[in-house]
Each structure stands twice: as structure tokens, then as C-alpha cells.
Amino acid sequence: MSDVETGSAPEVRTAYGTVRGAVERGVAVFRGIPYAAAPVGALRFRAPAPPEPWTGVREAVAYGPTAPKRPYAPPLDRLLPDPAVPGDGWLNLNVWTPSPGAAALPVLVWIHGGSLVHGSSAVPVYDGTAFARDGVVLVSVNYRLGVEGFGVFPDAPANRGLLDQLAALEWVRDNIAAFGGDPDRVTVAGESAGAISIAALLASPRSAGLLRRAVLQSGAPAALPPAAGRRTTELIARRLRAPATAEALAAVDPEALLTAQTEVTSGGNPLTGRTSFQIVVDGELLPHDPVAALHAGASAGIDLLTGTNSEEYRLWFVPGGLTERISPLQLRLALLKFRVPNATARTYRANRPGATPGEILGALATDLLLRVPLNRLADARTTAPGSTYVYEFGWPTPVQRLGACHALELGFVFDTLDHPDTRALTGPDAPGELASAMHRAWVDFAAHGDPGWPSWDARRPVTVFGPTAPSLVLAPRDDELRCWKPRRR
């Protein structure tokens, strides 16, 4: 009998030492396994290094340390709980498996979102029990955030957070078979900044052979030139009265550095704009702009599942009252700033009678920054050897009139609607049958490369996970998508 069947603590031998997990709700779980050395001291602002091997058995029942971060600012902190675990060994991961004694099970690696400054694998919404229950080995990953992971310096490698993610995927390749997983059947999934990260990894030659499928949830390919990406680092250094170098900021008290980072990046939101950290085209890990690379065929053989939520903007616009505060004049100024054609704005207004200027702006921004680029990516892959599937999540939460907002789909994908942290966004009565359907689609995609509806072609099929049963819709709101001309890069 297996450890899971007997309920005894399972042990697994990795390349760096043996770990002991626990049996919880019928699956084996291992938490806080280091996949790289702690990025402190001489390793701070460096590429990830292998972890130190250990002797004996390492307990792996508690989440490992999370990267330095601050909670979401009010009022989002009540909607997006973001636990922090102290310690230096941030580069760790968790594994849920039906049984370490299994063989060749599909693997799903989860890369969390959070604008590259928030989030971790310890967020309860990302509990992998349901995936393991349904035959998928779930791996969730921590990576460096903020200036530690994405600050741009002249004396340190860029995109360190992405390098961390690659190191985690290499760990999965080398170790996941010991947990019952198949290293040749790895799906990498992520939401928001996690999806943006995965798009960059897909565009990087270094990801070759590390994954077979990918899921991009509410995050489109994007990257900046290094000079533009360096601006946030320079603002932080200026606030600290220090040179904008890795050597100088490594000497700054970590709490002071985190305070300066928070002050520089606070205000605004991902749709209206703010000072933020971004992935950069560094010429090494990321040789080319990921949009151009993916449209030109990079990772064309990788199966892709991608989509957005119907009202992404409402997470940022509604809690602070932005939907009501934006005036017609402010809407017009925003349309000029984003270079939105008048005809496009007229179409969106006509499709939303009675909508406020803030709601019109939110719908436009959602499509401009998320839905349109992901549809174009799907279009670019119509002749690719890898299949592409598109979804839309449209169930509206009753919480604070947030509707089908950004991040709402996560509890449905992970089938964690019963957790209090999930209910902060979904409310207590979210439909379990919708979670079962959405979770099953992700399981089937990881296992077989087919979530259960037709792949993308000229008909533009989209499965909508809405208030009623999931339904297949051809070219939803195509009149709006046709309004957008390709943006000059």
C-alpha cells in the first residue's frame, strides 16, 4: 500500500535530499522545497544558484518563506489576502500529488500573479488538492518580486524573477518523476503577472524542452526595452539617495528598500497606468520582444489555453469608486492618451447603454490591454502545430458589485470555493457546478491538451463560463474586436 493509502507521512528523494510531506484530504503534499539557494548575501541580485544538498530527511509540511513584499493597499487587501512567511529561502515550491508512487501523471506548474510585487505560492486559493485528487501533480512556485526580481541594474542580470521560474521548471524536469509526475507532460499555468511571465518564457529559447502546454489567464505578452524598464529602479534609488546599482542597493536595509519600492509603485492600477516593474528584453534570456517572437512562431508547438474575464477592470475601478468618479471629460482625455479611435468608443458606448464613463473606460482598457492582444495571439497561431483554446469567464460575483472581475476565476480553476480567502472575492454562494466545470477543463487540458471545446480557427470559438452552464460562443463581441487597429510598437 502507498503512503497515501495508509495515511503515513510520505517521503521522496530529490536530487538535493529527501523530503517528508503529509497526507491531507487523500493526497500527498510537500511544501517549501527549495529549488534554488536563498538569494541573499553574495547571491542577492544574482541569477539563481542550486540549493545546498542536505542529509537526513527535511520536513516539508509548512509553506516556505515568501519573497519580500507588502500587502495589497486598501481596499484590495480585503479582497486579495496575501500571506507572508518570514525567512530568506524564498526560492521554494510546493507539490501536491495523488501518490509519490504513481508514474507518468500530468503535471501543472502554477506561477502566481500580483503585478510582480505581490503574491506567493502560499495563497490559499492556490491549494492544489483538487488537481491531485483528479490525477494531476500540481506544483506552485515562489519567485523573486519587485526590485529583488525585476529591478534593472547595470551590474546584475535582468529578469531575475524569470530566471527563478526557469530554475523551478528545471527542478521539475529533474525531480517530478519521484513525485509521480511525467517531466514530458508539463503544463505551465499562470494568471495576470504570472501569465505575462509565462508568455516571456514561451518566447525564450531557454524554455525549450521544459513544458508541453501553457495557460495564460488574464495576462498578455509584454516587455519593455531595458532603458524603459530601468526607470522604476532609478526612482527607488533616488528616493534612497543611492546609486541605481545592484551593489549599492544590496547595502540598503531590506525594510528601507521595500518601503521605497512601495512608495514608488503605489497609486494607479494596471489598467490606467502607474510606476511598476516590468519584464525587459534583455538580449539574453529574452532576446526579442515576446509579442513579436510569439507572433513569429516561437513556441508554436506548445498547446495554449488562454482567456480573460468579462469585466477585468472592475477589480481596480469599483472598490475605490473610480467607476463613479470618472467624468465624461476625463473619459475623453483617457481616450486621447490611449489613442482610442472615436469610432471604437462609439461602438463600446452603443453596446453598453446606461454605462457610466468609468465603465466605458474600464471596458475599453480591459480589451485594449488583455482581450485584444490575447485574441491576436490566438489568430497568429491558427496554422501552428500546437492547438489554441480560448475561454471567457463571465460569472459575476455579488461582492461589492465587482462583476466578472480580474482574479475572480482563480477559485473556480483550483476548485477552492470553500476556502474563506476565496470567498473574500466570490462570496459564500458561488456555484460549485461552475467550479467543477472550469476545473475539469484545466485538468483535461493538462492531461490531454484538450479542455473540451474546439480549438481556435476562423470561427473564433470561445467557451464562456458564465452565470448559467458553460456555453460555446462563436466570435463573441466581434464588433468590438474589429474596432482595434494593430498598435505600433
Side-chain angles (χ1 to χ4, degrees), residues 173-206:
R173 177 195 62 200
D174 298 338
N175 294 277
I176 206 62
F179 294 85
D182 184 350
D184 294 322
R185 241 193 330 165
V186 173
T187 298
V188 184
E191 183 262 354
S192 194
I196 296 170
S197 296
I198 294 169
L201 294 177
L202 291 174
S204 172
R206 284 193 51 185

Side-chain angles (χ1 to χ4, degrees), residues 11-40:
E11 294 184 3
V12 169
R13 174 73 182 176
T14 76
Y16 302 101
T18 300
V19 292
R20 179 187 292 127
V23 175
E24 299 176 4
R25 291 180 285 173
V27 305
V29 57
F30 302 80
R31 297 183 177 93
I33 304 173
Y35 66 83
V40 296

